[in-house]
């Protein structure tokens, strides 16, 4: 199976890059299933039905959220009627949190893809334990028995915590991909047990910014320690940023992972389907 995961879409510029590039990238890479993180899609903060529609229309099969899930209050009700939208899985079970943190999808070809979003613990709002959350999610839809592919988004600030999640799931998930830090990492690899891993897929946003937000007021605030205008998304040309994962249909494990970066300021990189070797070569 060929899977695409694209990191946090930031504001109008991010949505424009997804609309411009994702349909072609999806076709070129013959992607069977596409996940897009949309937690910053609406003005940098949260998601609305209209901004989600932009991402679905461009080719997202599943949209994930994160620590910004509820920044737009519409999302609290929208998520209950949109099964393709996921929030973090590891909210405390005693709370009445709308929506779901995992979902089993079926592609048009009949392949079953299980997507889970886990929220990190370090330097973020504290939810339930991320590793226990992943263990519970993996029991819901074990690879090969229930799911043909499993993608876990590790939505976390700390890189070490992302690696812990990668190794914990190694051999039991097709891919563990990080999001939330908005900068792509250069560590895409297949872990020893067969799980594709990348610490952060990077954002779909304008990289002439501070992680997607207009740089001037943030720099000014740092320099003066005085309040400045409210944060808002940078408006320059955005880069579509994500990762390509190919799985072995017999095992459900990964055989290839490569970064994708198209448009905007970052140097372009696209997997070539002619190459038979994996990403690490
Ligand atoms: Fe984000
Ligand atoms: Fe986030």
């Amino acid at each position: 199976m060929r899977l695409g995961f694209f990191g946090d879409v930031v504001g109008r510029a991010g949505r424009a890059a997804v609309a411009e590039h994702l349909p072609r990238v999806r076709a070129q890479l013959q992607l069977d299933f596409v996940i897009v993180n949309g937690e910053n899609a609406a003005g940098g903060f949260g998601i609305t039905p209209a901004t989600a529609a932009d991402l679905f229309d461009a080719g997202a099969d599943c949209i994930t959220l994160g620590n910004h899930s509820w920044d737009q209050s519409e999302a609290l009700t929208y998520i209950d009627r949109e099964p393709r939208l996921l929030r973090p899985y590891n909210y405390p079970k005693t709370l009445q949190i709308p929506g779901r943190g995992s979902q089993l999808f079926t592609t048009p070809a009949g392949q079953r893809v299980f997507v889970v979003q886990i929220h990190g613990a370090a330097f973020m709002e504290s939810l339930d334990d991320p590793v226990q959350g992943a263990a519970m999610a993996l029991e819901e839809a074990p690879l090969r028995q229930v799911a043909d592919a499993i993608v876990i988004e590790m939505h976390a600030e700390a890189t070490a915590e992302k690696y812990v999640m990668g190794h914990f799931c190694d051999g039991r998930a097709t891919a563990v991909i990080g999001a939330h830090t908005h900068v792509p990492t250069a560590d895409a690899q297949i872990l020893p047990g067969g799980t594709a891993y990348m610490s952060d897929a990077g954002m779909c946003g304008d990289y002439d910014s501070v992680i997607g937000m207009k740089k001037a007021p943030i720099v000014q605030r740092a320099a003066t320690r005085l309040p400045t205008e409210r944060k808002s998304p940078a408006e320059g040309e955005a880069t579509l940023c994500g990762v390509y994962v190919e799985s072995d249909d017999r095992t459900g494990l990964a055989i290839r992972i490569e970064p994708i970066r198209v448009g905007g300021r970052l140097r372009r990189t696209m997997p070539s389907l002619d190459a038979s070797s994996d990403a690490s070569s």
Side-chain angles (χ1 to χ4, degrees):
M1 206 181 310
R2 301 174 194 272
L3 307 160
F5 180 99
F6 298 88
D8 311 31
V9 178
V10 182
R12 186 181 302 274
R15 300 198 310 275
V18 170
E20 184 180 350
H21 303 301
L22 181 56
R24 192 178 60 258
V25 166
R26 180 170 186 147
Q28 266 179 22
L29 297 177
Q30 299 164 35
L31 298 176
D32 297 300
F33 195 80
V34 170
I35 302 162
V36 176
N37 182 295
E39 71 158 356
N40 307 107
F45 298 94
I47 199 160
T48 58
T51 47
D54 287 349
L55 307 182
F56 286 133
D57 290 349
D61 296 303
C62 169
I63 298 176
T64 56
L65 295 170
N67 53 304
H68 289 289
S69 294
W70 319 123
D71 286 359
Q72 306 288 333
S73 56
E74 291 164 80
L76 288 162
T77 49
Y78 175 50
I79 198 166
D80 274 333
R81 56 180 198 274
E82 178 48 84
R84 297 173 294 174
L85 189 62
L86 300 186
R87 44 80 168 161
Y89 181 91
N90 51 323
Y91 275 107
K93 297 291 178 227
T94 49
L95 300 180
Q96 303 297 312
I97 302 295
R100 65 213 67 73
S102 64
Q103 183 76 311
L104 187 66
F105 295 85
T106 304
T107 68
Q111 296 156 310
R112 300 158 303 170
V113 183
F114 188 55
V115 183
V116 183
Q117 182 179 59
I118 297 290
H119 187 287
F123 316 122
M124 302 177 82
E125 184 190 359
S126 156
L127 306 188
D128 272 353
D129 183 83
V131 173
Q132 295 309 314
M136 284 170 59
L138 287 168
E139 276 177 25
E140 264 180 43
L143 199 55
R144 291 179 297 278
Q145 295 165 42
V146 177
D148 299 304
I150 298 176
V151 179
I152 296 183
E153 177 192 321
M154 182 55 178
H155 197 90
E157 187 74 39
T159 307
E161 196 176 36
K162 292 175 171 181
Y163 266 89
V164 168
M165 185 59 65
H167 291 303
F168 178 75
C169 298
D170 190 18
R172 295 186 286 168
T174 311
V176 173
I177 308 294
H180 172 76
T181 61
H182 290 204
V183 177
T185 56
D187 60 345
Q189 58 175 304
I190 297 175
L191 300 175
T195 296
Y197 176 83
M198 185 176 181
S199 291
D200 207 289
M203 68 171 172
C204 299
D206 174 8
Y207 279 79
D208 181 19
S209 68
V210 176
I211 60 169
M213 295 295 173
K214 280 182 186 157
K215 61 187 177 180
I218 298 174
V219 172
Q220 190 192 339
R221 184 177 184 131
T224 64
R225 307 293 174 96
L226 293 171
T228 53
E229 66 185 73
R230 195 171 174 276
K231 281 182 192 168
S232 63
E235 291 167 347
E237 187 187 344
T239 305
L240 178 82
C241 227
V243 64
Y244 168 82
V245 174
E246 196 174 320
S247 68
D248 180 335
D249 290 333
R250 289 167 305 142
T251 64
L253 295 171
I255 49 176
R256 189 170 167 189
I257 176 168
E258 289 193 48
I260 300 169
R261 292 190 280 276
V262 180
R265 301 176 66 81
L266 298 193
R267 186 167 174 184
R268 179 186 170 90
T269 177
M270 266 284 281
S272 161
L273 289 193
D274 302 333
S276 55
S277 60
D278 72 62
S280 53
S281 59

